[in-house]
Short mmCIF file of all heavy atoms in Angstrom, two decimals:
data_model
loop_
_atom_site.label_atom_id
_atom_site.label_comp_id
_atom_site.label_asym_id
_atom_site.label_seq_id
_atom_site.Cartn_x
_atom_site.Cartn_y
_atom_site.Cartn_z
N LEU V 248 0.85 -1.18 0.00
CA LEU V 248 0.00 0.00 0.01
C LEU V 248 0.89 1.22 0.00
O LEU V 248 1.68 1.43 0.94
CB LEU V 248 -0.90 -0.01 1.23
CG LEU V 248 -1.75 1.22 1.52
CD1 LEU V 248 -2.68 1.53 0.34
CD2 LEU V 248 -2.56 1.04 2.80
N THR V 249 0.78 2.03 -1.05
CA THR V 249 1.65 3.19 -1.14
C THR V 249 1.15 4.31 -0.24
O THR V 249 0.01 4.30 0.25
CB THR V 249 1.72 3.71 -2.58
OG1 THR V 249 0.46 4.29 -2.92
CG2 THR V 249 2.10 2.60 -3.55
N SER V 250 1.99 5.30 -0.05
CA SER V 250 1.59 6.46 0.75
C SER V 250 0.44 7.21 0.09
O SER V 250 -0.32 7.91 0.75
CB SER V 250 2.77 7.41 0.95
OG SER V 250 3.27 7.82 -0.30
N GLY V 251 0.27 7.01 -1.23
CA GLY V 251 -0.81 7.65 -1.96
C GLY V 251 -2.07 6.81 -2.03
O GLY V 251 -3.07 7.24 -2.63
N GLY V 252 -2.05 5.60 -1.47
CA GLY V 252 -3.25 4.80 -1.38
C GLY V 252 -3.42 3.71 -2.43
O GLY V 252 -4.47 3.08 -2.54
N ILE V 253 -2.40 3.46 -3.21
CA ILE V 253 -2.46 2.41 -4.23
C ILE V 253 -2.09 1.08 -3.62
O ILE V 253 -1.08 0.96 -2.94
CB ILE V 253 -1.54 2.74 -5.42
CG1 ILE V 253 -1.97 4.03 -6.07
CG2 ILE V 253 -1.54 1.60 -6.44
CD1 ILE V 253 -1.02 4.55 -7.14
N THR V 254 -2.91 0.06 -3.88
CA THR V 254 -2.69 -1.26 -3.32
C THR V 254 -2.24 -2.25 -4.39
O THR V 254 -2.55 -2.09 -5.59
CB THR V 254 -3.94 -1.82 -2.63
OG1 THR V 254 -5.02 -1.85 -3.58
CG2 THR V 254 -4.34 -0.96 -1.46
N ASN V 255 -1.57 -3.27 -3.95
CA ASN V 255 -1.12 -4.33 -4.83
C ASN V 255 -1.11 -5.63 -4.02
O ASN V 255 -0.67 -5.62 -2.87
CB ASN V 255 0.27 -4.04 -5.38
CG ASN V 255 0.76 -5.10 -6.35
OD1 ASN V 255 0.00 -5.57 -7.18
ND2 ASN V 255 2.00 -5.50 -6.24
N TYR V 256 -1.60 -6.72 -4.61
CA TYR V 256 -1.66 -8.00 -3.92
C TYR V 256 -1.08 -9.10 -4.80
O TYR V 256 -1.25 -9.08 -6.02
CB TYR V 256 -3.10 -8.36 -3.57
CG TYR V 256 -3.80 -7.43 -2.62
CD1 TYR V 256 -4.54 -6.36 -3.09
CD2 TYR V 256 -3.72 -7.63 -1.25
CE1 TYR V 256 -5.16 -5.49 -2.20
CE2 TYR V 256 -4.36 -6.79 -0.35
CZ TYR V 256 -5.08 -5.72 -0.85
OH TYR V 256 -5.70 -4.87 0.03
N VAL V 257 -0.47 -10.07 -4.20
CA VAL V 257 -0.12 -11.28 -4.91
C VAL V 257 -1.38 -12.01 -5.29
O VAL V 257 -2.37 -11.97 -4.54
CB VAL V 257 0.83 -12.15 -4.08
CG1 VAL V 257 0.15 -12.76 -2.86
CG2 VAL V 257 1.46 -13.26 -4.92
N ASP V 258 -1.38 -12.66 -6.44
CA ASP V 258 -2.62 -13.25 -6.95
C ASP V 258 -3.26 -14.24 -5.96
O ASP V 258 -4.48 -14.33 -5.87
CB ASP V 258 -2.35 -13.98 -8.28
CG ASP V 258 -2.16 -13.00 -9.44
OD1 ASP V 258 -2.49 -11.84 -9.28
OD2 ASP V 258 -1.67 -13.46 -10.49
N SER V 259 -2.43 -14.95 -5.24
CA SER V 259 -2.95 -16.02 -4.36
C SER V 259 -3.76 -15.50 -3.19
O SER V 259 -4.48 -16.28 -2.55
CB SER V 259 -1.80 -16.88 -3.86
OG SER V 259 -0.88 -16.10 -3.11
N VAL V 260 -3.69 -14.20 -2.88
CA VAL V 260 -4.45 -13.67 -1.75
C VAL V 260 -5.52 -12.67 -2.18
O VAL V 260 -6.26 -12.19 -1.32
CB VAL V 260 -3.52 -13.02 -0.69
CG1 VAL V 260 -2.41 -13.98 -0.30
CG2 VAL V 260 -2.96 -11.68 -1.18
N LYS V 261 -5.60 -12.37 -3.44
CA LYS V 261 -6.61 -11.40 -3.90
C LYS V 261 -8.01 -11.85 -3.55
O LYS V 261 -8.36 -13.01 -3.76
CB LYS V 261 -6.48 -11.20 -5.42
CG LYS V 261 -5.28 -10.38 -5.83
CD LYS V 261 -5.19 -10.20 -7.35
CE LYS V 261 -4.00 -9.35 -7.73
NZ LYS V 261 -3.86 -9.23 -9.22
N GLY V 262 -8.78 -10.94 -3.00
CA GLY V 262 -10.14 -11.24 -2.59
C GLY V 262 -10.23 -11.82 -1.19
O GLY V 262 -11.34 -11.96 -0.66
N ARG V 263 -9.10 -12.17 -0.59
CA ARG V 263 -9.11 -12.75 0.76
C ARG V 263 -8.39 -11.86 1.79
O ARG V 263 -8.79 -11.81 2.94
CB ARG V 263 -8.42 -14.13 0.75
CG ARG V 263 -9.08 -15.14 -0.16
CD ARG V 263 -8.50 -16.52 0.05
NE ARG V 263 -7.07 -16.60 -0.28
CZ ARG V 263 -6.13 -17.00 0.56
NH1 ARG V 263 -6.43 -17.32 1.80
NH2 ARG V 263 -4.85 -17.04 0.17
N PHE V 264 -7.33 -11.18 1.35
CA PHE V 264 -6.55 -10.35 2.25
C PHE V 264 -6.76 -8.87 1.91
O PHE V 264 -6.96 -8.52 0.74
CB PHE V 264 -5.06 -10.63 2.10
CG PHE V 264 -4.60 -11.99 2.61
CD1 PHE V 264 -5.50 -12.97 2.97
CD2 PHE V 264 -3.24 -12.24 2.75
CE1 PHE V 264 -5.06 -14.20 3.45
CE2 PHE V 264 -2.78 -13.46 3.22
CZ PHE V 264 -3.71 -14.45 3.56
N THR V 265 -6.70 -8.03 2.94
CA THR V 265 -6.82 -6.59 2.76
C THR V 265 -5.75 -5.88 3.57
O THR V 265 -5.66 -6.08 4.78
CB THR V 265 -8.20 -6.08 3.18
OG1 THR V 265 -9.22 -6.76 2.44
CG2 THR V 265 -8.32 -4.58 2.92
N ILE V 266 -4.96 -5.06 2.89
CA ILE V 266 -3.96 -4.25 3.59
C ILE V 266 -4.56 -2.87 3.84
O ILE V 266 -5.27 -2.33 2.98
CB ILE V 266 -2.65 -4.16 2.78
CG1 ILE V 266 -1.56 -3.45 3.59
CG2 ILE V 266 -2.86 -3.49 1.43
CD1 ILE V 266 -0.18 -3.53 2.96
N SER V 267 -4.26 -2.30 5.00
CA SER V 267 -4.75 -0.98 5.31
C SER V 267 -3.73 -0.28 6.25
O SER V 267 -2.84 -0.95 6.75
CB SER V 267 -6.14 -1.03 5.96
OG SER V 267 -6.06 -1.73 7.20
N ARG V 268 -3.94 0.99 6.41
CA ARG V 268 -3.04 1.74 7.28
C ARG V 268 -3.81 2.82 8.05
O ARG V 268 -4.86 3.27 7.60
CB ARG V 268 -1.91 2.39 6.46
CG ARG V 268 -2.40 3.46 5.50
CD ARG V 268 -1.28 3.88 4.51
NE ARG V 268 -0.17 4.51 5.21
CZ ARG V 268 1.04 4.67 4.67
NH1 ARG V 268 1.27 4.24 3.45
NH2 ARG V 268 1.99 5.27 5.35
N ASP V 269 -3.28 3.19 9.19
CA ASP V 269 -3.83 4.26 9.99
C ASP V 269 -2.66 5.18 10.32
O ASP V 269 -1.87 4.89 11.21
CB ASP V 269 -4.50 3.72 11.24
CG ASP V 269 -5.20 4.82 12.06
OD1 ASP V 269 -4.84 6.00 11.90
OD2 ASP V 269 -6.08 4.47 12.85
N ASN V 270 -2.55 6.27 9.58
CA ASN V 270 -1.40 7.15 9.77
C ASN V 270 -1.41 7.83 11.14
O ASN V 270 -0.36 8.15 11.68
CB ASN V 270 -1.36 8.22 8.66
CG ASN V 270 -0.98 7.62 7.32
OD1 ASN V 270 -0.37 6.56 7.23
ND2 ASN V 270 -1.36 8.31 6.24
N ALA V 271 -2.58 8.01 11.69
CA ALA V 271 -2.68 8.63 13.02
C ALA V 271 -2.09 7.71 14.11
O ALA V 271 -1.63 8.19 15.15
CB ALA V 271 -4.12 8.97 13.35
N LYS V 272 -2.12 6.42 13.82
CA LYS V 272 -1.59 5.42 14.77
C LYS V 272 -0.27 4.85 14.34
O LYS V 272 0.24 3.91 14.96
CB LYS V 272 -2.61 4.28 14.99
CG LYS V 272 -3.91 4.76 15.63
CD LYS V 272 -4.85 3.57 15.87
CE LYS V 272 -6.13 4.01 16.59
NZ LYS V 272 -7.05 2.88 16.82
N ASN V 273 0.27 5.37 13.24
CA ASN V 273 1.54 4.87 12.69
C ASN V 273 1.50 3.34 12.53
O ASN V 273 2.48 2.65 12.86
CB ASN V 273 2.72 5.25 13.63
CG ASN V 273 3.11 6.70 13.50
OD1 ASN V 273 2.48 7.46 12.78
ND2 ASN V 273 4.13 7.09 14.23
N SER V 274 0.39 2.88 11.99
CA SER V 274 0.21 1.43 11.94
C SER V 274 -0.26 0.96 10.58
O SER V 274 -0.94 1.69 9.84
CB SER V 274 -0.82 1.00 12.99
OG SER V 274 -0.32 1.17 14.30
N VAL V 275 0.10 -0.26 10.26
CA VAL V 275 -0.34 -0.95 9.04
C VAL V 275 -0.94 -2.27 9.47
O VAL V 275 -0.48 -2.90 10.43
CB VAL V 275 0.79 -1.12 8.03
CG1 VAL V 275 1.98 -1.83 8.63
CG2 VAL V 275 0.31 -1.85 6.79
N TYR V 276 -1.96 -2.71 8.74
CA TYR V 276 -2.70 -3.91 9.09
C TYR V 276 -2.81 -4.84 7.90
O TYR V 276 -2.74 -4.42 6.74
CB TYR V 276 -4.11 -3.54 9.59
CG TYR V 276 -4.12 -2.50 10.66
CD1 TYR V 276 -4.37 -1.15 10.35
CD2 TYR V 276 -3.89 -2.85 11.99
CE1 TYR V 276 -4.37 -0.19 11.35
CE2 TYR V 276 -3.88 -1.86 12.98
CZ TYR V 276 -4.12 -0.55 12.65
OH TYR V 276 -4.13 0.41 13.64
N LEU V 277 -3.00 -6.11 8.19
CA LEU V 277 -3.30 -7.08 7.16
C LEU V 277 -4.45 -7.96 7.65
O LEU V 277 -4.26 -8.77 8.55
CB LEU V 277 -2.11 -7.96 6.80
CG LEU V 277 -2.33 -8.90 5.62
CD1 LEU V 277 -2.49 -8.12 4.32
CD2 LEU V 277 -1.18 -9.89 5.49
N GLN V 278 -5.64 -7.73 7.09
CA GLN V 278 -6.80 -8.57 7.41
C GLN V 278 -6.78 -9.76 6.50
O GLN V 278 -6.77 -9.61 5.27
CB GLN V 278 -8.09 -7.78 7.22
CG GLN V 278 -9.35 -8.57 7.49
CD GLN V 278 -9.51 -8.99 8.91
OE1 GLN V 278 -9.39 -8.18 9.81
NE2 GLN V 278 -9.80 -10.26 9.15
N MET V 279 -6.75 -10.94 7.10
CA MET V 279 -6.65 -12.17 6.33
C MET V 279 -7.90 -13.02 6.59
O MET V 279 -8.14 -13.45 7.73
CB MET V 279 -5.38 -12.96 6.72
CG MET V 279 -4.12 -12.14 6.61
SD MET V 279 -2.63 -13.09 6.96
CE MET V 279 -2.84 -13.44 8.70
N ASN V 280 -8.66 -13.25 5.56
CA ASN V 280 -9.89 -14.05 5.63
C ASN V 280 -9.76 -15.31 4.78
O ASN V 280 -8.87 -15.39 3.92
CB ASN V 280 -11.08 -13.22 5.15
CG ASN V 280 -11.33 -12.01 5.98
OD1 ASN V 280 -11.06 -11.98 7.21
ND2 ASN V 280 -11.82 -10.95 5.36
N SER V 281 -10.61 -16.25 5.01
CA SER V 281 -10.62 -17.49 4.25
C SER V 281 -9.24 -18.11 4.17
O SER V 281 -8.77 -18.49 3.09
CB SER V 281 -11.19 -17.24 2.84
OG SER V 281 -12.50 -16.71 2.90
N LEU V 282 -8.59 -18.19 5.29
CA LEU V 282 -7.20 -18.66 5.31
C LEU V 282 -7.09 -20.12 4.88
O LEU V 282 -7.98 -20.94 5.15
CB LEU V 282 -6.61 -18.47 6.70
CG LEU V 282 -6.21 -17.03 7.01
CD1 LEU V 282 -6.09 -16.79 8.51
CD2 LEU V 282 -4.90 -16.70 6.30
N LYS V 283 -5.99 -20.41 4.21
CA LYS V 283 -5.71 -21.74 3.68
C LYS V 283 -4.40 -22.26 4.28
O LYS V 283 -3.55 -21.46 4.68
CB LYS V 283 -5.56 -21.67 2.16
CG LYS V 283 -6.77 -21.09 1.44
CD LYS V 283 -6.49 -20.96 -0.04
CE LYS V 283 -7.69 -20.37 -0.78
NZ LYS V 283 -7.43 -20.25 -2.24
#
């Protein structure tokens, strides 16, 4: 996830994982669903 908000995912996780950030908390997250 770029500082400008552009995301990129490896094909194997598309639709299952979501990257996000909270600049106020200096934090980045990875929500992982439908784990294999």
Side-chain angles (χ1 to χ4, degrees):
L248 172 59
T249 70
S250 58
I253 298 173
T254 58
N255 182 42
Y256 297 92
V257 68
D258 286 346
S259 61
V260 308
K261 285 180 180 177
R263 300 189 297 122
F264 290 12
T265 303
I266 187 171
S267 62
R268 65 191 296 163
D269 185 338
N270 289 338
K272 295 183 178 180
N273 285 3
S274 293
V275 55
Y276 308 98
L277 185 68
Q278 177 67 49
M279 305 185 293
N280 299 328
S281 302
L282 282 160
K283 303 176 181 180

